[in-house]
Amino acid sequence: MRISHLLLILSFSFLFRPLMSETPTSISDVQIIDTSTNKNVSWKEILEKMDQNEILIWGEEHDDSDGHMAQLEFLKKFLDFYPTALSLEMLEKDQQAILDEYSRGFISEKQMLSSIPHWKNFTTDYLPLVKQAKESYVPIVCANPPRRYVNAVARKGLIAYSEFSEDAYRYLPSAYTLGIYQSDSYLAKLRAMFQEEHTSPAKQPMSPESMILAQYMWDQGMAESVSRESYKSGRKVFHINGRFHSDEGGGVAHRLKQMGHKVLVLSVFPEGKEENQKFQKLADFVILTKRR
């Protein structure tokens, strides 16, 4: 652990430690499983484990409404306990200046929303997180590379990098980094997913290998955003992505660990969606929401 991180953790742990005993057993109607013991636990155990970690990854199902409610409630507890930065897959790096203007009060929520493209469920499921971060004076990290560049790599492979402008490179991981931190199991998972031929919106065929590189671009881009914030601010980073990016130690989780970070991974999904015997492989903690 870096010295700056250690000093921050020691000082804030001392100030906020009494809050631990006040953490309720259950914030939302969810089941929390410590996969190392296969036992049901409370949010308290996750907060305690973060003493030894720099980054928490919340791997979500994007359409899990109960998961989103639990996410917001746990973020509030996390903010009470640790100096935090909020990082979101759902925001792209070229939107950072606009989010910074919003978080500092220079522009209104309406102006912010009208200035960025956003997911259809952004206002219902992710804007509450952003508003909470703003109210708590917490940095908001737009973690993802812009989709238009990732789509170009999915269509053309690495040759797309030769066509990007100098301005585009500010938002992208370097091409050589895409293959550095890959894991064999994650690669096999991606090959199985992309084995059938796909076409772009323009009906151009996309090769499985190019689509894998595009996935690596998402993962590496997010990992670099999270890592940069961790070093810059010394805060714990609460990063949210789709659980495909972090389940089974793949994607973003694997890359951050290879980059030297200590990472705690949560996998959050409706009960019955995964077999119990798989939980230990998925994440450090599994959080089960109600099945709809």
Side-chain angles (χ1 to χ4, degrees), residues 21-91:
S21 61
E22 300 170 10
T23 304
T25 300
S26 177
I27 298 175
S28 293
D29 191 14
V30 297
Q31 181 182 356
I32 306 168
I33 300 167
D34 182 339
T35 61
S36 66
T37 62
N38 201 34
K39 291 181 179 179
N40 289 358
V41 297
S42 72
W43 298 103
K44 176 182 176 181
E45 279 72 16
I46 298 176
L47 290 170
E48 287 176 339
K49 282 284 181 73
M50 277 306 298
D51 271 351
Q52 289 80 46
N53 289 279
E54 302 159 334
I55 296 158
L56 180 138
I57 298 180
W58 182 292
E60 66 166 26
E61 300 251 330
H62 298 315
D63 59 355
D64 180 7
S65 58
D66 285 353
H68 288 300
M69 287 189 287
Q71 189 177 73
L72 177 59
E73 292 176 19
F74 181 54
L75 175 64
K76 291 176 181 177
K77 291 296 174 185
F78 199 89
L79 296 180
D80 283 342
F81 200 72
Y82 291 112
T84 304
L86 174 66
S87 172
L88 295 168
E89 174 194 359
M90 302 78 203
L91 293 170

Side-chain angles (χ1 to χ4, degrees), residues 75 84-88 129-130 133 138-142 236-238 240:
L75 175 64
T84 304
L86 174 66
S87 172
L88 295 168
L129 300 166
V130 170
V138 164
I140 301 163
V141 179
C142 301
K236 305 281 191 186
V237 182
F238 190 113
I240 299 170

